[in-house]
Amino acid sequence: MPSNVVTRFAPSPTGYLHIGGARTALFNWLYARRFGGRMLLRIEDTDRERSTQGAIDAILDGMSWLGLDWDGEPVHQFARADRHREAAETLLGSGHAYRCFATAEELQQMRETARAEGRAPRYDGRWRDRDPSEAPAGAKPVIRLRAPTEGETAIDDAVQGRVTWQNRDLDDLVLLRSDGNPTYMLAVVVDDHDMGVTQVIRGDDHLTNAARQAQIYKALGWDVPAMAHIPLIHGADGAKLSKRHGALGVEAYRDLGYLPAALRNYLVRLGWSHGDQEVFSTDEMVAAFDLKAIGRSPARFDFAKLENLNGRYIRESDDTALVDAIQRIVPEPITPKLRENLVAAMPGLKERAKTLVELLDSAYYLTAARPLALDDKAKGLLGDDAKTRLGLVIPALEALEEWSATATEAEVRKFAEAQGLKLGQIAQPLRAALTGRATSPPLFDVMAVLGREESLARLRDQITQ
Ligand code: GLU
């Protein structure tokens, strides 16, 4: 049933969509879907020096890849600067804001005095009640909020509970700079209001901003949206997440071979829980998502857990869907023949792989050109004795009438028995010769997928070298 719930994801396009941003987007998306509402996207591009089109594209691509769609067209904050200025003028008109002509030196002096007295720097309100006619000639003012000086500002946060600030600790913040540009704080409030946002969900690094923003809302006579400030993600060692911990762009996870569904599932559990359930289909997530179940302590990013979850999603994926997913991360087109082989080999391949990259790596044997380049372990398995054994098993395999996993397995077992060998003594050299590696999907599946001709040719390559 449609509802009036409106959430928004509001990234600053100064870099890629990092993992914390992706989780924020996911939570907003889930909340909107859960309540039949809408999730809007706002690009906070007011920092003209640091915002780039490349970053905007990376954010949109990352969200699309993760399957997080937004409603309507993205809103670009910078394009709304006139509207922000208009709100500042409204506040001037209603007496909730004033022009401040304090010079850079005066502000510097205020900061130094505060530092000397061991308190946080704050603007002392010297232009709050002064008449602009006293302004020095030619000085360009900023517009400041006439913030309340007594009482408190409180937010009932869905995650943090009730958070209060003493108004005497919050100074009169700048709404419009002297060059006429709106500040971020003003822009966020006006945009959230105009976009009809009912629920803000964002990182708890914005919690203090929420107090400032609540003051602006009140001054404008607008309702403050409901707030949820979610704890930031930390690394496995408990320190704030950095690149070293996996704070990579979403596209890096794609290139490392993670499936979007697995990453979504991993991200939803970073900070949110639903009993002890770990694996969620998208529908299950939507049905269960709830702000109350978001924890107040930072979640820890754990690569091993993400890998295991990804491995599980790979095992449960459809074989052709996995080939499609591989195609998205490799530059060369997969030929129809290779696609056919990959699909045939997939049941064996997907059992072990934790990422698509591992999957591709284990499919190396399908794409490798003859004679195969053996890795060191495979070379170790093909000593002189092993080659002699290969030389003996080849004619037995050549004589097979039917070439299938069952037929080759029966023949190789019979050969091992007749020669008094353990199965591994012949299976491992076969594996090395056929795949170039010491580990591979099940050997007889490999033979079946490669087919008689290619299999025998690879075996012969090794004994004639
Ligand atoms: N643009 C801010 C950021 O990327 C988010 C602001 C908000 O959600 O209110 O951190």
Side-chain angles (χ1 to χ4, degrees), residues 8-14 18 21 24 28 42-45 59 77 184 188-189 192 200-203 205-206 209 213 227 229:
R8 67 1 176 226
F9 176 51
S12 304
T14 52
H18 58 85
T24 302
N28 277 286
R42 182 170 70 237
I43 305 294
E44 302 210 313
D45 54 354
I59 291 167
Q77 190 160 59
Y184 166 72
V188 168
V189 168
D192 279 341
V200 169
I201 305 171
R202 61 187 175 193
D205 48 338
H206 288 284
N209 290 346
Q213 291 164 5
M227 300 271 178
H229 287 91

Side-chain angles (χ1 to χ4, degrees), residues 387-447:
K387 286 191 176 174
T388 309
R389 276 175 245 141
L390 276 190
L392 294 171
V393 82
I394 290 173
L397 291 169
E398 278 171 340
L400 279 175
E401 273 176 27
E402 180 206 318
W403 190 269
S404 66
T406 331
T408 53
E409 176 167 4
E411 193 58 35
V412 171
R413 283 188 184 278
K414 198 167 94 191
F415 173 84
E417 216 165 293
Q419 300 284 323
L421 298 170
K422 291 200 195 98
L423 186 63
Q425 287 177 295
I426 183 64
Q428 282 301 79
L430 281 169
R431 185 188 308 283
L434 290 166
T435 70
R437 306 283 156 92
T439 54
S440 79
L443 177 64
F444 303 107
D445 289 348
V446 166
M447 289 176 127

Side-chain angles (χ1 to χ4, degrees), residues 108-429:
Q108 178 64 22
Q109 188 61 49
M110 282 178 227
R111 275 193 290 273
E112 276 166 20
T113 312
R115 198 174 313 129
E117 293 173 5
R119 44 180 186 82
R122 69 194 302 284
Y123 169 69
D124 63 7
R126 63 182 60 185
W127 280 92
R128 237 177 117 94
D129 300 311
R130 232 165 125 181
D131 196 279
S133 64
E134 294 175 32
K140 285 208 166 164
V142 299
I143 295 182
R144 287 185 185 269
L145 182 72
R146 194 187 300 277
T149 51
E150 287 168 5
E152 53 187 37
T153 296
I155 299 284
D156 284 304
D157 191 278
V159 176
Q160 312 288 335
R162 189 173 175 83
V163 188
T164 53
W165 292 263
Q166 296 306 314
N167 286 334
R168 64 168 179 273
D169 296 334
L170 303 172
D171 61 1
D172 290 348
L173 65 114
V174 176
L175 300 171
L176 220 54
R177 298 199 182 86
S178 56
D179 60 4
N181 278 325
T183 58
Y184 166 72
M185 215 63 91
L186 174 66
V188 168
V189 168
V190 175
D191 290 347
D192 279 341
H193 173 263
D194 288 1
M195 290 161 75
V197 171
T198 61
Q199 175 69 61
V200 169
I201 305 171
R202 61 187 175 193
D204 67 6
D205 48 338
H206 288 284
L207 187 59
T208 310
N209 290 346
R212 305 286 204 168
Q213 291 164 5
Q215 293 186 332
I216 304 176
Y217 276 104
K218 292 213 179 95
L220 284 161
W222 295 341
D223 289 338
V224 184
M227 300 271 178
H229 287 91
I230 52 183
L232 300 183
I233 302 172
H234 284 194
D237 57 3
K240 195 167 172 284
L241 198 64
S242 67
K243 279 198 184 150
R244 171 173 66 88
H245 292 114
L248 308 167
V250 159
E251 72 288 347
Y253 290 91
R254 180 190 59 205
D255 297 345
L256 287 167
Y258 292 94
L259 296 175
L263 190 57
R264 270 201 310 270
N265 191 152
Y266 181 69
L267 288 176
V268 80
R269 287 285 294 104
L270 272 184
W272 175 78
S273 56
H274 183 61
D276 50 16
Q277 187 173 345
E278 291 287 349
V279 181
F280 293 84
S281 70
T282 303
D283 287 347
E284 284 173 328
M285 270 181 220
V286 169
F289 190 74
D290 176 5
L291 298 174
K292 283 199 268 319
I294 297 176
R296 277 163 79 166
S297 45
R300 292 193 179 198
F301 191 87
D302 180 347
F303 242 116
K305 209 165 159 187
L306 170 60
E307 276 201 339
N308 283 331
L309 201 55
N310 201 52
R312 181 178 178 133
Y313 273 83
I314 287 179
R315 284 195 297 283
E316 290 171 2
S317 289
D318 180 72
D319 297 337
T320 52
L322 287 171
V323 178
D324 293 340
I326 289 176
Q327 176 67 88
R328 282 194 282 276
I329 62 166
V330 296
E332 313 83 38
I334 296 178
T335 61
K337 175 72 193 148
L338 179 57
R339 164 174 282 274
E340 196 184 304
N341 282 345
L342 277 170
V343 172
M346 204 48 87
L349 296 177
K350 72 184 182 185
E351 276 318 303
R352 306 155 185 257
K354 293 214 166 81
T355 65
L356 293 174
V357 171
E358 282 182 24
L359 199 59
L360 194 59
D361 191 50
S362 65
Y364 163 77
Y365 77 91
L366 287 173
T367 55
R370 290 183 38 222
L372 261 58
L374 307 183
D375 72 11
D376 286 345
K377 283 190 185 155
K379 274 187 203 145
L381 291 171
L382 282 173
D384 290 343
D385 288 354
K387 286 191 176 174
T388 309
R389 276 175 245 141
L390 276 190
L392 294 171
V393 82
I394 290 173
L397 291 169
E398 278 171 340
L400 279 175
E401 273 176 27
E402 180 206 318
W403 190 269
S404 66
T406 331
T408 53
E409 176 167 4
E411 193 58 35
V412 171
R413 283 188 184 278
K414 198 167 94 191
F415 173 84
E417 216 165 293
Q419 300 284 323
L421 298 170
K422 291 200 195 98
L423 186 63
Q425 287 177 295
I426 183 64
Q428 282 301 79

